[in-house]
Amino acid sequence: MLIDRDIARWRLRSQLLAAPVDTAEQVVRSLLAVQAENPSQSAWAVATRTGSAAAEDLAAALAEGRVLRIHVLRSTWHYVHADDAQWLQELTAPRVMPVFEQQLQPLGDRVGALGDAVVATLGESPDRTRGELAEALAVRGEQLTGQQLMLLLGRLEVLGLVCSGVPRDGEHSYALFADRVPSPRRLDRDEALAELALRYFTSHGPATDRDLAYWATLTVTDVRRGLAAVADRLDSFEHDGRTFWHAPGGPPSSVEPRGHLLQVLDEMYRGYQDSRWVLDGEGIVPRTRETAIGMALVDAQLLGAMKRTVTAKAVTFAVRPYRALARGERAALDDAAARYAAYLGLEPRVELAAADRP
């Protein structure tokens, strides 16, 4: 009989944390979408799922337009493969767009004209930073706050008009979607629902239909419609009163590496809601509003909150365990810190809360 820890371990493999692939592009294509609100930390979320983590890997994919960083699925940033951006946007936009429309209400009927101005500016000169677009609008007599411009650009992304451009000195830029993705892949709604279900449960499984509904901002009815179309290509089992869907095959007997230092925005946490807490089979994590920005995982279990601090020479991981850690668990976190630090080209340091040092 499976327990929560077994399911969580299984997800480490599905999500490539215990079965890395060669490139960042493969990671993004496999996971379908990777939340990317914080560029530097989400870049590690991608890199740690590759066999040879290197910052230039994802950077090249973004610069060449093979991977885009856009608002899709939910009203937040995600990395998506260029082949998937159009159909994902069309599928999820009807439920995401109202978020932007509501927040842009103070601009009233100016929203359409402002959007047209941004599109015209990018048509004349692509790869503009947000600051440069603000200046271009100011020349036209339109002064927007940074928050208003971010929301306006998010709306244009959901409309499929704008997307990420070539980064400028490490800074995010914008370009026209049609220029970056000249031949987008399109699916009708039923095809898109089926594709979404197959790809999500393959890359995030085992997971429930409600997990996918949360992840893609869809109704459970829509998710079940897509799932019905591909159920013969997936396997399932019952656990804790829920049906969990996954790619054919069984759970891993063990996973390597055992330790992971990740942000709470990582797909291992944010990729689920209904069954998120298989990460805490012992029930040691307080079920309160998230106060930590990072997670310390060992053997797919959330054992501590983590905060990352980067200086010129070192990256320090301050870990506050939810219980005392065994020596092997501390060693797994040290290994995770060493991998992360090597990616950054810095020295690793792990600081455990004093009361919980082994």
Side-chain angles (χ1 to χ4, degrees):
M1 180 179 295
L2 291 172
I3 61 175
D4 284 356
R5 182 187 295 267
D6 296 323
I7 297 172
R9 282 182 182 145
W10 201 335
R11 289 177 178 176
L12 283 182
R13 186 180 67 187
S14 300
Q15 288 209 19
L16 311 178
L17 286 164
V21 291
D22 292 334
T23 68
E25 182 179 359
Q26 288 176 289
V27 171
V28 174
R29 190 190 288 275
S30 176
L31 293 183
L32 188 55
V34 178
Q35 187 160 332
E37 185 175 328
N38 183 301
S40 64
Q41 294 171 358
S42 60
W44 169 245
V46 174
T48 192
R49 290 169 163 87
T50 65
S52 301
E56 56 269 22
D57 185 6
L58 178 62
L62 288 166
E64 295 166 13
R66 292 177 280 120
V67 170
L68 306 177
R69 180 173 175 256
I70 58 174
H71 287 80
V72 67
L73 292 179
R74 304 186 293 280
S75 56
T76 191
W77 297 100
H78 284 83
Y79 295 126
V80 295
H81 196 278
D83 291 344
D84 296 314
Q86 183 75 46
W87 69 265
L88 268 181
Q89 203 66 279
E90 291 175 348
L91 178 63
T92 60
R95 290 176 63 84
V96 176
M97 182 59 80
V99 177
F100 288 98
E101 298 286 11
Q102 181 180 18
Q103 293 180 301
L104 285 168
Q105 281 183 355
L107 295 180
D109 56 10
R110 295 166 56 205
V111 170
L114 287 167
D116 291 343
V118 170
V119 169
T121 299
L122 293 175
E124 297 167 359
S125 178
D127 306 323
R128 295 286 194 99
T129 66
R130 192 185 305 169
E132 290 170 338
L133 288 173
E135 292 174 2
L137 289 175
V139 169
R140 296 171 181 256
E142 297 286 359
Q143 300 283 348
L144 297 184
T145 67
Q147 179 71 4
Q148 288 173 331
L149 180 55
M150 182 186 72
L151 292 168
L152 178 67
L153 290 165
R155 177 180 184 273
L156 293 173
E157 290 174 344
V158 175
L159 287 171
L161 297 174
V162 167
C163 67
S164 57
V166 179
R168 300 261 306 280
D169 297 324
E171 186 176 355
H172 183 87
S173 78
Y174 296 85
L176 296 182
F177 186 90
D179 290 343
R180 296 288 272 171
V181 190
S183 301
R185 182 185 179 212
R186 284 191 162 89
L187 303 174
D188 67 34
R189 185 168 180 80
D190 282 344
E191 290 173 330
L193 287 171
E195 176 92 354
L196 177 74
L198 182 63
R199 301 270 295 276
Y200 174 82
F201 289 116
T202 298
S203 64
H204 289 70
T208 72
D209 52 10
R210 292 185 181 277
D211 284 322
L212 175 51
Y214 159 78
W215 189 77
T217 321
L218 294 174
T219 65
V220 174
T221 298
D222 272 341
V223 167
R224 289 174 178 169
R225 183 174 177 178
L227 183 53
V230 297
D232 61 341
R233 300 165 66 183
L234 297 166
D235 286 345
S236 66
F237 61 86
E238 300 298 315
H239 174 74
D240 196 24
R242 302 178 179 96
T243 301
F244 284 75
W245 295 88
H246 59 92
S253 57
S254 63
V255 291
E256 290 293 338
R258 293 183 65 220
H260 299 275
L261 293 167
L262 305 169
Q263 299 303 303
V264 293
L265 300 180
D266 191 90
E267 291 298 308
M268 271 297 289
Y269 183 90
R270 194 62 73 197
Y272 315 89
Q273 186 180 64
D274 181 46
S275 66
R276 176 179 293 165
W277 291 110
V278 298
L279 285 173
D280 181 26
E282 299 176 41
I284 61 174
V285 183
R287 302 298 196 265
T288 56
R289 184 175 178 84
E290 297 156 4
T291 56
I293 60 172
M295 309 182 293
L297 302 180
V298 177
D299 201 21
Q301 293 298 285
L302 177 50
L303 299 186
M306 182 272 289
K307 182 178 180 181
R308 186 197 74 163
T309 302
V310 178
T311 62
K313 292 184 178 181
V315 54
T316 300
F317 302 94
V319 177
R320 189 182 73 252
Y322 297 118
R323 62 159 172 76
L325 301 182
R327 191 172 301 278
E329 291 169 334
R330 169 61 195 263
L333 293 182
D334 286 340
D335 176 66
R339 297 196 313 273
Y340 202 151
Y343 165 77
L344 296 174
L346 298 171
E347 298 174 7
R349 296 175 186 167
V350 176
E351 296 179 352
L352 281 183
D356 292 320
R357 285 177 182 164

